[in-house]
Amino acid sequence: AYFKQSKWEAAADTYAQGAALAFKLVPLDYNSATADGKLVPLASLASVLYSNGANALDKLGRRHEALQCCHCALRLKADNSKAAVRGAQCATALGLFSDSLALYRAAAAQGFPDLEAEVARAERMSEDMRKAAELLAQDNGTRAKVLLSDAYAAAPTSLGVLELLVKAHLLCKEFEEARALVKTLLRLVQALPPS
């Protein structure tokens, strides 16, 4: 009900409580619980609850937590393709393109439809990030910036993408651009929850 009412915080909390309860009640075996009028194994139910909670967390902009929930969902039920796709979307937004690629591939392998474009995009961005890091190690900021443009468009708040872009701008002696990105990096780091 909370999700349909766009009450994301309440939805995320409710899904987390439900997943924790399902996980605690019965060891992960063939025991069952009722969900939507169907008999569902508790591990499967907890996986769906984690995945739905991830969706609510993503709506709140809490993508790191959402990605963690997707990984929990997949540990409980490896063939939860919705959790894999949601996790891939969060990983892309976070600039974690290798993780995104692995999750999209997992969902595609489970038969989730129409993921060819997302898999290809994640492959390209993952490779572009790798190549950009290599170019920066060779002091080639100009080519690195070109390779990072799609990654920055997809994940403008990714610490990893921003760090590489700062290095690229510094190598190109574009100090104002680098300074603006450093300000963004500092703002993002200050907003991180304490570890």
Side-chain angles (χ1 to χ4, degrees), residues 49-61:
L49 291 171
Y50 272 118
S51 178
N52 289 347
N55 198 9
L57 288 166
D58 184 41
K59 299 274 188 198
L60 290 167

Side-chain angles (χ1 to χ4, degrees), residues 3 6-17 49-72 86 90 93-94:
F3 198 88
S6 300
K7 295 181 179 178
W8 311 126
E9 192 73 45
D13 289 344
T14 303
Y15 285 127
Q17 290 169 9
L49 291 171
Y50 272 118
S51 178
N52 289 347
N55 198 9
L57 288 166
D58 184 41
K59 299 274 188 198
L60 290 167
R62 294 164 49 187
R63 289 190 178 90
H64 284 283
E65 293 172 77
L67 181 57
Q68 289 173 338
C69 283
C70 290
H71 283 297
C72 287
R86 284 183 181 138
C90 288
L94 292 167

